[in-house]
Amino acid sequence: MGFEEPKLNLSPKVSDEIRKTTCYMCACRCGINVHMKEGKVAYIEGNRDHPVNKGVLCAKGSAGIMQVNAPSRLRAPLKRVGPRGSGAFEEISWDEALQLAQDWLEPVHKENPEKLAFFTGRDQSQSFTSFWAQGFGTPNYAAHGGFCSVNMAAGGIYTMGGAFWEFGQPDWERTKLFMLFGVAEDHDSNPIKMGLGRLKERGAKVIGVNPIRTGYNAISDEWVGITPGTDGLFILSMVHLLLKAGKVDLNYLAQLTNAPALVDSTEGPNKGMLLRGADGKLLVIDRKTKKPVAFDTKGITPDLAATYEGHRTVFQHLAERYLSDDYAPENVAERCGISADRIRAIAADLARVAFDEAFELDQPWTDFRGNKHEKMIGRPVSFHAMRGVSAHSNGFQTCRSLHLLQIILGTVEVPGGFRFKPPYPKPVSAHPKPHCKVTPGAALDGPHLGYVQGPDDLCLKEDGSAARIDKAYTWENPMSAHGLMHMVISNAHAGDPYKIDVLFMYMANMSWNSSMNSGGVMEMLTDKDENGEYVIPKIIYSDAYSSEMVAYADLILPDTTYLERHDCISLLDRPICEAGGAADSIRWPVVEPDRDVRGFQSVLVDLGARLGLKGFVNDDGSAKYEDYADYIVNHERRPGVGPLIGFRGETGQEEGRGAPNSDQMQAYIDNGGFYEIHVPEGADYYKPWNAAYQDWAVKIGVYDAPQPYLFDIYSEPMRRFQLAAEGHGERQPPEHLRAQIKQTLDPLPMWYAPFEDGAVDVEEFPIHALTQRPMAMYHSWGTQNAWLRQIHGQNPLFVPTKIWQANGFAEGDWARVTSAHGSIVVPVAHMAALNENTVWTWNAIGKRKGAWALDEAAPEATKGFLLNHLIHELQPPKGDGLRWSNSDPVTGQAAWFDLRVKIEKAESQSESSPRFEPITSPVGTGPGELEWKISK
């Protein structure tokens, strides 16, 4: 018998239709093609035309199909009928749910809006949710940035008008040396992987600085396993070496930064401020005339070494500080865990590539002074950093130190270096300041969040107490920028600074992995007063899934999944722009929900109309918007400027600016779910100073007028707070905070040891403990995804060789890990590519039994665990009678990564501890096998 080839269908019919939208499985916001078959999602692939991912899609994005059919999806509005935490709910109609929410919120709005605390988690509609909160009139609004990466954002904005990730990116096509600091693989996942691929293809060098060698650091050419919390010291040591070697871009510093600005040396209330002319402009000394002139005078050559009537330049102060032997490699090596020789070698690498491999582009451009340049100077060194350097109590100054390193090398907004993404760069003065004036029955007097310029902008009441429940923008953390979501529940429970009536949260798993001191937070949510009433009276929560937080709410407003609703990724918020263009995108209901759920943003539109909130009703009191999609199309933040930049105007032919277009949403859908406006040739570098870019940014609505500015190596807002701590000005800090403000709000980047190092006995707790999110997950919901669970079903504690051997660990062993706050018992695993004094684990894998529709015997609920149980929102007592916040004293960012622990071998056990009673979930337990079949 002859061999017969099997008959194979090499081109099966994958789908009946392709619907293009935006992924939500992480914050990359990649474009996706959702293949539909018989009305169901059959397959998800990347959209090759999309500016972010260009067709690339990761495991998370492909697994989105398992989010739209997850057994943990909430099915209908719920009202609590048992004690908080019991999970006892009854299903109610949307009419009843919305009426109940209105009944709770209406008296608060009319009588005292500050009694509402409205905080959202990892949603991507913060421009809208903040608009709603502003209309309600409460000062108590923020999103998750305060416990994620506010140090990164604020450090960049205050120094150079933008930061990493959503604010900018490396010049992937021209960079020859790329250095990452504290970057795990959950942030900017696909774009970074694509960029690293291009770097590797061109033979560029990648240096990864991280105590843990996973992901991007695992494929780096050189891994620096730094001691946690010492990145700033390492960076400033390299600044020291570059200054000593003269490897500094002096022309860049003189022309484009405030390095040549004169620092007032006179004693009094202006000491340390920068000298300004009668017009308020910074003064510099022109090397030609030797006279002080405004910084933006055409044709000047600012003098970095000038003195004037006893005043010295910022550059001289900078040189004096960083040339100090305190920053010499020999004096920082032991603390950083990096040898002096290696620090010198990396600094030499940076200098060699930045200066010896510099290049020019034959691209004319005109600067903000009116000077014309024939070429653009390229310095092919770029950097990227994220939460690893941000989530420390010294994170803000560490981020500023990294930006200083970039700037002295001249690698920001030049070919080969770091490039801003529209709508950045923006000077800090172009951002709003925070507002907190509460008026019964009226809107707040302005945006909640912003960038303070000094003590006058703090959110304080007349008696000096905090105006916000999270104490953002107070002397404790004056430059908060994103708020302090991690402090809301503990402050509300303590009634400090005041009690609230309603806690309203969205996508914020605060009773589990989004809180420090998770067990304590659960107690706060269920605690009752002497009258038997809950200390936090009413809790409204919205989520798409049955998370741990659901059991602690009184009213559940079930959200849709991301494939079932409208969303807007807007230039007003967190857009999808690349360095070469402004871009935004939408999500739209590619499938209709099969449950009684509604998109949370549309629910807010409904509630806004019911409550009569400013911005949500017309003059006659009727609803202004039908739903969120209607808001996206018809809302105008400024005349002609709305949530979306594409297809504007009555004919849909205008971009950036233009009247609302009723067909805009469909035009986006037809265009693949996004719109992009390319930066004109010649305007794509030197953006803060390039006249062509500034004019283009005005044209498309990023600015209303050109906003050129200098980089702030020296921060005047920080100096204003120092002056207050020194006794100057009307607003004065409490006595116990003066020394902290003087030390930590230094106007030049500096380093100090993480606060926990001084609050605990480091000999008793000698080990650093960290978390990272894995590449396969981003939100908590990723760990209940039927596909992604197969990659990360549980999380051991990874232990370095030195600690592993010292404790006699073997595979399969368990360890007791103890901090000054608590203790956990967890499984351990050996990892050699790890800082020798650091242990770590994947974050948010561990689940509480009963949550997420997982079986109680699921590995996430038995072997999985959280380090959160070891971390408190307050530092250990110091003996001074005070409990200091476990956060950065500048911004209030949660200092997750300051954690110190000790570790010892424990008896093997079947489950991790601490153990909590199972939650009764309103959706029950999912099936043993989850099938999603589409007929052929």
Side-chain angles (χ1 to χ4, degrees):
M1 295 180 62
F3 179 76
E4 185 175 339
E5 292 280 353
K7 294 180 180 180
L8 301 175
N9 181 3
L10 300 179
S11 300
K13 185 180 178 183
V14 177
S15 56
D16 305 320
E17 179 187 1
I18 296 174
R19 298 179 179 178
K20 299 186 177 186
T21 186
T22 305
C23 187
Y24 196 8
M25 294 301 288
C26 81
C28 289
R29 292 133 328 157
C30 295
I32 53 174
N33 297 338
V34 182
H35 289 256
M36 307 296 297
K37 207 167 187 181
E38 299 179 1
K40 293 184 178 182
V41 179
Y43 173 59
I44 299 175
E45 67 176 350
N47 179 356
R48 292 172 184 254
D49 299 322
H50 200 271
V52 171
N53 60 315
K54 299 177 174 58
V56 173
L57 199 63
C58 67
K60 297 189 296 292
S62 298
I65 191 172
M66 306 308 285
Q67 294 299 131
V68 77
N69 68 359
S72 61
R73 291 170 302 157
L74 296 170
R75 299 166 185 160
L78 301 168
K79 182 173 69 173
R80 180 176 59 79
V81 294
R84 271 201 204 145
S86 67
F89 291 96
E90 67 175 8
E91 290 191 0
I92 58 176
S93 68
W94 273 103
D95 285 342
E96 184 178 352
L98 290 169
Q99 186 61 56
L100 187 57
Q102 181 180 348
D103 291 345
W104 290 357
L105 293 169
E106 197 160 40
V108 175
H109 170 60
K110 290 181 177 179
E111 297 166 16
N112 191 354
E114 73 177 16
K115 295 291 187 178
L116 167 67
F118 178 53
F119 285 75
T120 67
R122 288 182 177 85
D123 70 296
Q124 295 174 4
S125 56
Q126 291 161 26
S127 170
F128 170 73
T129 51
S130 66
F131 182 73
W132 188 92
Q134 186 177 334
F136 189 92
T138 178
N140 297 317
Y141 165 83
H144 85 290
F147 64 73
C148 179
S149 59
V150 65
N151 277 335
M152 190 58 61
I157 293 290
Y158 276 107
T159 308
M160 58 181 192
F164 299 111
W165 187 32
E166 291 171 312
F167 300 81
Q169 64 187 162
D171 186 353
W172 293 114
E173 305 308 324
R174 294 187 172 95
T175 287
K176 295 182 180 179
L177 177 57
F178 180 46
M179 198 168 182
L180 303 96
F181 286 83
V183 182
E185 46 266 36
D186 62 323
H187 277 94
D188 208 15
S189 176
N190 286 333
I192 280 194
K193 286 183 287 188
M194 294 159 60
L196 285 168
R198 294 202 291 277
L199 295 186
K200 292 284 187 178
E201 187 177 24
R202 292 192 292 102
K205 183 175 182 178
V206 178
I207 301 176
V209 182
N210 195 314
I212 306 159
R213 190 169 196 182
T214 60
Y216 312 135
N217 296 282
I219 65 163
S220 61
D221 300 289
E222 184 174 348
W223 171 60
V224 182
I226 195 167
T227 299
T230 66
D231 302 79
L233 193 57
F234 168 48
I235 291 164
L236 293 177
S237 184
M238 291 193 290
V239 170
H240 167 91
L241 292 169
L242 292 168
L243 286 169
K244 286 192 74 172
K247 295 295 186 179
V248 176
D249 192 333
L250 296 176
N251 183 64
Y252 187 98
L253 290 171
Q255 297 285 348
L256 308 178
T257 80
N258 69 1
L262 294 159
V263 181
D264 195 328
S265 63
T266 56
E267 293 297 328
N270 291 317
K271 184 176 181 181
M273 297 299 289
L274 303 182
L275 295 186
R276 296 176 182 271
D279 57 2
K281 293 183 178 181
L282 284 179
L283 293 177
V284 299
I285 301 298
D286 182 14
R287 290 181 64 183
K288 301 171 186 174
T289 65
K290 309 298 183 185
K291 294 181 180 179
V293 295
F295 78 95
D296 59 354
T297 304
K298 184 176 181 178
I300 62 169
T301 304
D303 191 346
L304 294 171
T307 58
Y308 178 72
E309 296 182 354
H311 310 301
R312 297 186 299 155
T313 63
V314 166
F315 184 76
Q316 291 174 77
H317 286 268
L318 176 154
E320 180 180 43
R321 169 169 295 182
Y322 304 123
L323 285 173
S324 165
D325 284 344
D326 291 344
Y327 296 104
E330 291 76 13
N331 294 327
V332 308
E334 183 177 357
R335 183 143 211 169
C336 295
I338 310 168
S339 72
D341 286 345
R342 197 167 188 205
I343 296 172
R344 292 180 187 279
I346 295 172
D349 258 357
L350 294 173
R352 176 183 54 78
V353 177
F355 296 103
D356 297 349
E357 300 188 29
F359 60 94
E360 295 179 345
L361 296 184
D362 291 324
Q363 176 61 62
W365 67 287
T366 302
D367 68 27
F368 66 99
R369 296 185 176 97
N371 300 319
K372 294 184 178 180
H373 307 264
E374 294 303 316
K375 298 179 183 297
M376 293 180 169
I377 307 299
R379 301 207 182 278
V381 172
S382 58
F383 298 84
H384 184 64
M386 261 317 292
R387 191 187 297 117
V389 297
S390 182
H392 291 282
S393 53
N394 59 16
F396 178 83
Q397 288 286 18
T398 294
C399 294
R400 291 201 73 227
S401 297
L402 181 52
H403 299 319
L404 171 65
L405 175 61
Q406 293 177 275
I407 291 168
I408 68 169
L409 288 169
T411 65
V412 181
E413 262 305 316
V414 300
F418 172 83
R419 305 173 65 195
F420 290 116
K421 301 178 182 179
Y424 298 93
K426 291 182 182 180
V428 67
S429 58
H431 291 265
K433 297 177 180 179
H435 295 73
C436 60
K437 184 180 178 182
V438 175
T439 304
L444 199 68
D445 60 331
H448 303 82
L449 307 177
Y451 292 82
V452 300
Q453 297 294 309
D456 291 344
D457 301 327
L458 293 177
C459 290
L460 301 174
K461 296 188 175 183
E462 290 186 5
D463 62 1
S465 63
R468 292 175 51 108
I469 190 66
D470 60 355
K471 299 187 180 180
Y473 305 108
T474 66
W475 294 107
E476 293 182 26
N477 30 251
M479 301 167 83
S480 304
H482 286 179
L484 280 72
M485 186 171 176
H486 53 290
M487 296 303 299
V488 172
I489 292 172
S490 57
N491 288 358
H493 177 263
D496 180 18
Y498 47 78
K499 296 282 189 181
I500 63 170
D501 287 340
V502 181
L503 175 64
F504 191 0
M505 307 196 94
Y506 173 50
M507 268 184 63
N509 199 14
M510 303 306 290
S511 69
W512 197 244
N513 62 282
S514 290
S515 281
M516 305 190 216
N517 186 23
S518 303
V521 168
M522 287 184 261
E523 292 177 3
M524 296 173 198
L525 293 171
T526 56
D527 193 24
K528 295 184 177 181
D529 61 20
E530 61 276 7
N531 299 317
E533 302 293 330
Y534 286 114
V535 175
I536 299 176
K538 301 177 183 71
I539 300 176
I540 305 173
Y541 185 57
S542 180
D543 203 325
Y545 305 98
S546 183
S547 69
E548 285 87 355
M549 184 63 196
V550 166
Y552 294 90
D554 305 310
L555 174 64
I556 301 294
L557 305 175
D559 191 20
T560 62
T561 70
Y562 72 98
L563 294 176
E564 300 169 322
R565 66 159 178 257
H566 285 97
D567 267 336
C568 175
I569 300 92
S570 166
L571 258 71
L572 300 179
D573 198 348
R574 303 167 65 187
I576 62 165
C577 304
E578 296 291 292
D584 57 17
S585 62
I586 62 161
R587 297 187 186 95
W588 59 285
V590 298
V591 289
E592 292 297 323
D594 58 359
R595 309 161 319 285
D596 191 15
V597 298
R598 297 182 184 180
F600 177 67
Q601 291 78 9
S602 288
V603 170
L604 282 187
V605 168
D606 191 332
L607 282 173
R610 289 168 179 258
L611 296 168
L613 303 187
K614 181 180 178 180
F616 288 86
V617 291
N618 298 307
D619 291 341
D620 63 359
S622 61
K624 191 167 187 174
Y625 306 110
E626 181 179 343
D627 54 18
Y628 188 43
D630 190 18
Y631 167 92
I632 291 170
V633 170
N634 291 302
H635 173 71
E636 290 185 277
R637 193 58 56 94
R638 309 192 308 275
V641 176
L644 294 173
I645 59 172
F647 309 106
R648 299 196 66 82
E650 292 183 7
T651 64
Q653 300 301 308
E654 298 176 43
E655 58 182 12
R657 295 179 186 268
N661 167 26
S662 59
D663 296 324
Q664 185 184 45
M665 185 65 69
Q666 187 60 49
Y668 265 80
I669 293 171
D670 294 341
N671 196 55
F674 70 94
Y675 194 89
E676 184 176 25
I677 310 174
H678 293 284
V679 176
E681 186 176 1
D684 47 355
Y685 293 104
Y686 295 98
K687 293 188 184 84
W689 320 287
N690 190 327
Y693 175 81
Q694 295 290 318
D695 291 342
W696 175 82
V698 171
K699 178 183 176 182
I700 69 163
V702 171
Y703 315 135
D704 287 335
Q707 299 278 346
Y709 63 99
L710 299 177
F711 286 168
D712 290 320
I713 290 174
Y714 187 95
S715 173
E716 285 192 287
M718 300 182 76
R719 178 58 191 156
R720 290 189 183 101
F721 286 106
Q722 275 191 330
L723 282 168
E726 292 167 7
H728 299 289
E730 294 184 7
R731 272 194 167 176
Q732 289 289 294
E735 287 300 320
H736 71 278
L737 290 174
R738 288 187 189 273
Q740 176 176 282
I741 292 168
K742 282 189 262 187
Q743 177 198 9
T744 61
L745 275 83
D746 195 300
L748 281 175
M750 45 85 75
W751 183 86
Y752 51 88
F755 286 167
E756 184 151 337
D757 286 6
V760 304
D761 183 344
V762 295
E763 291 187 4
E764 182 182 1
F765 301 104
I767 301 168
H768 301 270
L770 304 175
T771 59
Q772 286 191 158
R773 285 193 184 271
M775 193 173 289
M777 292 169 192
Y778 179 71
H779 302 274
S780 301
W781 69 34
T783 47
Q784 53 97 32
N785 183 289
W787 287 357
L788 299 178
R789 288 183 63 211
Q790 297 177 59
I791 301 174
H792 297 285
Q794 64 185 74
N795 57 310
L797 183 75
F798 294 100
V799 178
T801 302
K802 185 179 81 170
I803 298 173
W804 184 268
Q805 293 176 346
N807 286 274
F809 287 130
E811 293 298 331
D813 279 351
W814 291 68
R816 179 174 299 279
V817 186
T818 305
S819 71
H821 173 61
S823 182
I824 59 177
V825 179
V826 298
V828 293
H830 182 206
M831 180 175 177
L834 179 58
N835 176 277
E836 65 176 11
N837 296 311
T838 302
V839 297
W840 74 282
T841 193
W842 297 120
N843 185 35
I845 302 283
K847 301 296 185 191
R848 186 168 172 186
K849 290 183 178 181
W852 302 98
L854 297 176
D855 190 282
E856 289 186 14
E860 293 90 344
T862 54
K863 302 291 179 62
F865 65 93
L866 301 177
L867 285 185
N868 305 53
H869 302 303
L870 300 179
I871 312 172
H872 202 283
E873 67 270 14
L874 301 175
Q875 293 175 38
K878 296 180 180 180
D880 56 6
L882 302 170
R883 289 299 300 273
W884 298 74
S885 176
N886 186 17
S887 58
D888 189 294
V890 181
T891 65
Q893 168 156 356
W896 297 92
F897 294 168
D898 283 0
L899 178 63
R900 288 275 199 159
V901 301
K902 60 183 176 182
I903 187 169
E904 57 189 329
K905 195 171 183 178
E907 290 186 10
S908 294
Q909 53 187 59
S910 59
E911 297 186 6
S912 300
S913 63
R915 300 170 189 170
F916 298 90
E917 289 298 313
I919 291 173
T920 300
S921 170
V923 300
T925 301
E929 293 183 5
L930 181 62
E931 293 185 351
W932 183 251
K933 288 187 176 181
I934 309 296
S935 61
K936 296 181 181 179

